[in-house]
Amino acid sequence: MQVESQVTALLVSIKRLLDSLTEWGNGSATSQEVSQKVSQLQNRFSTCINAFTASEITVQDLLGIPEQLEAVMGQLLAFDPSQTQLDAFMPQIRAIIIELLQGLRGKQSLYRQRANVRRRR
């Protein structure tokens, strides 16, 4: 069950980051606040990866995602907050988030399959 709770916590972190980006775009959040959300997401990601690894599920294909996100966020946050800048970077951010979500879905599916097999034994 730890995998499930860690995935849920990561999903919450993703939502908080996306909310803070919206706030940044309209000027109600600072770059530092958004950076904190990125850092929190990275921490949740690490915890989630550790839970999958402890369940003997390989995660190599997901390991580069935080660095991709951090690179794009660094580029975005170098600008002054604006909806125009956010709109320019959102396709990249969205693509990275979608890649992460699809990867998590696959890992969760594998985790659940293995958990069902263990229960049947």
Side-chain angles (χ1 to χ4, degrees):
M1 191 57 140
Q2 182 173 357
V3 166
E4 300 291 347
S5 64
Q6 295 306 325
V7 169
T8 299
L10 179 55
L11 295 175
V12 169
S13 291
I14 291 169
K15 171 79 168 98
R16 288 182 179 153
L17 172 61
L18 293 174
D19 289 346
S20 72
L21 284 170
T22 300
E23 293 169 359
W24 180 88
N26 66 35
S28 61
T30 66
S31 295
Q32 183 177 358
E33 290 169 325
V34 175
S35 292
Q36 288 174 344
K37 299 297 183 202
V38 172
S39 180
Q40 290 169 358
L41 187 148
Q42 289 172 323
N43 289 338
R44 290 289 185 190
F45 177 84
S46 294
T47 304
C48 189
I49 291 300
N50 290 340
F52 278 120
T53 301
S55 297
E56 299 178 354
I57 295 174
T58 60
V59 293
Q60 302 304 86
D61 55 320
L62 301 179
L63 296 180
I65 293 175
E67 290 78 19
Q68 293 173 17
L69 183 61
E70 186 173 16
V72 172
M73 296 302 297
Q75 292 172 12
L76 171 63
L77 297 177
F79 293 97
D80 290 331
S82 77
Q83 190 62 48
T84 302
Q85 289 301 328
L86 180 59
D87 290 345
F89 282 88
M90 273 313 288
Q92 287 177 277
I93 294 167
R94 194 173 292 117
I96 294 166
I97 297 296
I98 288 170
E99 179 183 357
L100 175 56
L101 293 174
Q102 289 174 339
L104 287 173
R105 186 175 352 155
K107 302 302 177 190
Q108 269 187 302
S109 177
L110 183 57
Y111 170 78
R112 288 173 182 153
Q113 288 172 2
R114 290 183 180 179
N116 285 336
V117 168
R118 287 183 189 127
R119 277 186 232 140
R120 291 181 197 155
R121 290 182 184 172

